[in-house]
């Protein structure tokens, strides 16, 4: 990511798109349980909050190499969690 601001915007955008997709599936399908949808939305909101807060506090502010590693790890962690949520969405 080029900047912290861009990273936060990306996290928020993807989270909102996932929530939109979930509610769209709820509207279009009769066999989707509302409780499962609500739980997934809560997970996505928590994920959004967690990673935006984590992006605000990098380790080793003075050392560029440590900061770069921090954001690389944050990004891979975020992608891993998103992959899990996408599997749950597909299970709906």
């Amino acid at each position: 990511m080029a900047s912290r601001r861009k990273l936060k915007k990306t996290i928020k955008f993807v989270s909102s798109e996932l929530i939109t997709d979930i509610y769209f599936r709820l509207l279009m399908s009769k066999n989707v349980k509302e409780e499962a949808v609500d739980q997934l939305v809560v997970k996505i909101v928590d994920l959004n909050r967690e990673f935006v807060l984590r992006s605000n506090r990098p380790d080793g502010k003075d050392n560029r190499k440590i900061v770069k590693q921090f954001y690389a790890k944050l990004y891979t962690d975020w992608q891993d969690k998103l992959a899990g949520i996408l599997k749950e969405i597909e299970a709906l």
Side-chain angles (χ1 to χ4, degrees):
M1 287 280 130
S3 69
R4 186 183 317 167
R5 180 178 176 200
K6 203 172 203 179
L7 175 65
K8 287 189 223 177
K9 283 185 175 187
T10 302
I11 291 170
K12 291 176 183 179
F13 174 75
V14 170
S15 297
S16 67
E17 287 297 313
L18 286 174
I19 291 171
T20 304
D21 183 48
I22 290 171
Y23 281 120
F24 184 73
R25 286 176 188 250
L26 179 66
L27 288 173
M28 299 310 265
S29 178
K30 304 271 187 207
N31 58 359
V32 175
K33 296 180 182 176
E34 287 186 38
E35 296 160 357
V37 168
D38 290 341
Q39 290 174 354
L40 268 175
V41 169
V42 168
K43 271 187 179 181
I44 293 170
V45 170
D46 289 342
L47 180 82
N48 179 27
R49 184 174 185 275
E50 173 190 348
F51 282 95
V52 167
L53 288 176
R54 273 179 61 185
S55 69
N56 286 332
R57 295 183 225 109
D59 295 336
K61 288 183 181 181
D62 298 332
N63 191 343
R64 243 182 120 134
K65 190 174 185 179
I66 293 173
V67 171
K68 191 172 185 177
Q69 290 173 349
F70 173 80
Y71 283 112
K73 182 175 176 4
L74 179 111
Y75 192 71
T76 56
D77 290 347
W78 179 61
Q79 287 180 329
D80 292 340
K81 296 251 182 161
L82 280 180
I85 288 178
L86 287 172
K87 286 180 184 176
E88 290 182 41
I89 290 173
E90 291 299 320
L92 289 177

